[in-house]
Amino acid sequence: MTRPNFFIVGAPKCGTTAMNDFLAQHPDIFMGYKEMHYFGADLPMASTLTGERISLETYLDAFKKWNGEKRIGETAVLYLYSSSAPQEIKAFDPQAKIVIMLRNPVEQMYSMYFQALFVGDEDLPTFEAALEAEPDRLAGKRIPPTCFKPLILLYRRNARYSGYVRNYFDTFGRENVHVIIHDEFKKDNRGVYRQLLEFLEVDPTFEPQFNVINPHKEVRSRRVMSLVRKPPRVLMPAKRAMWTLFPDLSVKLYAKVNSLNAVKKSRPTIDPGLRRQLQEEFRPEVEALSELLGKDLTHWVQA
């Protein structure tokens, strides 16, 4: 069966959805379903669509429409946080290419909170409350019943990228890991995209439609979102069967419901005092990441 040979492993809210879409437009690249999260045995989570971990057969089915493209990709943003996913992916394909996308940690945490709130993984009404709840959530407490991926609620821990990136460097070698900085991607879509195509060894002259992907939005009805993500127990077998038998239709229906249940709005501005506090807290981490990447990112933590 067809198997992916490159992986966008994270981080969430760093441009991965847009990059997945842009790569899918390339004639030499085939992209499977996003966020299947087959790898990462240590991750306490399940598929949003099925409510449980998927089998290898179901995972590989996502690539069955491959039509001879040189590169076959998967995007799953929580692979970055898994201790075992790098080794699992390496065993699956020793020649795999890895793509990591990173963002100013304060902006990433703030954006991730609102995304989690939108999809129903988060239920606390403010970013400050969510940060305060992190110790409890690390201990498995105060997890919303509709949250399939409790890991994403660990906002602070997830934004400390350096250790996660080093794990992939150590497993695959730096030459097989391509790191993209969100600021640079946002500023120069074409240039950053071209560099990625060169890394993937496909035609670097191709240009996709650089549309705005995954803007900030708020949910119209939390009840609808809850029913879609975690329907009554009696309906869960039907949901899993739908995903297994009709994966394309399931993905499209899920995306359509989310779209109809969303209202695009400007994201509220983070409290200036909290921003400064988080910048100081993350200064050592940003300095460590800068050294690891050989790129000065300390502007992220400057007032």
Side-chain angles (χ1 to χ4, degrees):
M1 298 181 74
T2 304
R3 299 158 74 94
N5 53 33
F6 80 93
F7 301 81
I8 300 178
V9 302
K13 305 309 295 179
C14 294
T16 56
T17 298
M19 188 61 81
N20 184 93
D21 182 79
F22 299 157
L23 289 175
Q25 297 177 47
H26 197 290
D28 296 334
I29 297 174
F30 177 86
M31 298 300 296
Y33 304 131
K34 192 170 180 285
E35 313 297 3
M36 288 186 289
H37 289 104
Y38 172 73
F39 299 102
D42 59 327
L43 296 177
M45 63 181 193
S47 164
T48 302
L49 285 172
T50 64
E52 59 185 14
R53 284 189 176 272
I54 60 175
S55 67
L56 177 60
E57 182 180 7
T58 299
Y59 174 67
L60 294 178
D61 275 348
F63 307 98
K64 64 183 178 183
K65 291 187 176 181
W66 172 72
N67 192 33
E69 292 87 352
K70 181 177 181 180
R71 286 292 179 187
I72 306 167
E74 182 204 356
T75 300
V77 296
L78 298 188
Y79 287 164
L80 183 66
Y81 304 131
S82 168
S83 297
S84 65
Q87 290 76 26
E88 292 173 40
I89 295 171
K90 182 78 170 178
F92 179 82
D93 181 0
Q95 306 303 317
K97 297 280 190 178
I98 302 297
V99 180
I100 297 174
M101 303 184 70
L102 304 176
R103 182 180 187 179
N104 179 321
V106 179
E107 293 180 1
Q108 190 271 344
M109 287 188 291
Y110 194 54
S111 181
M112 189 66 251
Y113 163 74
F114 281 102
Q115 175 70 12
L117 194 65
F118 171 75
V119 301
D121 282 326
E122 178 63 86
D123 62 356
L124 294 177
T126 67
F127 180 49
E128 292 85 346
L131 290 176
E132 291 173 0
E134 192 163 329
D136 284 342
R137 286 167 163 180
L138 189 59
K141 304 174 183 177
R142 300 174 68 184
I143 307 296
T146 55
C147 181
F148 285 106
K149 299 168 183 169
L151 178 65
I152 73 168
L153 303 178
L154 306 180
Y155 303 104
R156 279 187 168 95
R157 195 181 79 165
N158 293 345
R160 300 185 187 281
Y161 311 125
S162 60
Y164 305 125
V165 174
R166 187 177 293 106
N167 196 7
Y168 277 91
F169 280 173
D170 291 345
T171 303
F172 289 92
R174 291 186 180 228
E175 69 278 9
N176 294 311
V177 180
H178 187 70
V179 178
I180 295 172
I181 303 302
H182 181 268
D183 311 5
E184 298 171 359
F185 180 41
K186 188 175 180 181
K187 183 179 180 180
D188 183 12
N189 279 162
R190 287 176 174 80
V192 170
Y193 184 72
R194 188 182 311 113
Q195 290 172 3
L196 177 54
L197 297 183
E198 291 172 352
F199 170 73
L200 294 175
E201 300 174 321
V202 295
D203 179 10
T205 65
F206 175 81
E207 285 199 6
Q209 293 295 316
F210 288 109
N211 300 320
V212 176
I213 307 294
N214 204 19
H216 176 75
K217 51 192 176 292
E218 296 180 11
V219 69
R220 293 179 187 272
S221 169
R222 299 210 171 278
R223 182 173 179 81
V224 169
M225 180 64 76
S226 296
L227 286 172
V228 170
R229 288 174 61 83
K230 198 168 186 177
R233 184 175 300 178
V234 68
L235 297 179
M236 283 303 293
K239 181 180 180 181
R240 291 169 185 148
M242 180 76 173
W243 165 250
T244 301
L245 296 173
F246 308 105
D248 287 345
L249 180 59
S250 297
V251 170
K252 289 176 182 177
L253 284 175
Y254 184 73
K256 186 65 174 178
V257 172
N258 274 353
S259 176
L260 293 173
N261 197 32
V263 180
K264 294 180 182 178
K265 291 185 176 182
S266 297
R267 189 173 63 207
T269 303
I270 188 172
D271 176 77
L274 179 59
R275 175 185 288 277
R276 287 192 295 271
Q277 174 189 326
L278 291 172
Q279 285 175 329
E280 285 305 309
E281 179 182 333
F282 274 83
R283 185 177 301 278
E285 163 58 28
V286 171
E287 290 172 350
L289 182 66
S290 297
E291 182 176 356
L292 178 66
L293 299 181
K295 181 188 292 284
D296 186 4
L297 298 171
T298 54
H299 60 279
W300 283 350
V301 289
Q302 292 173 357

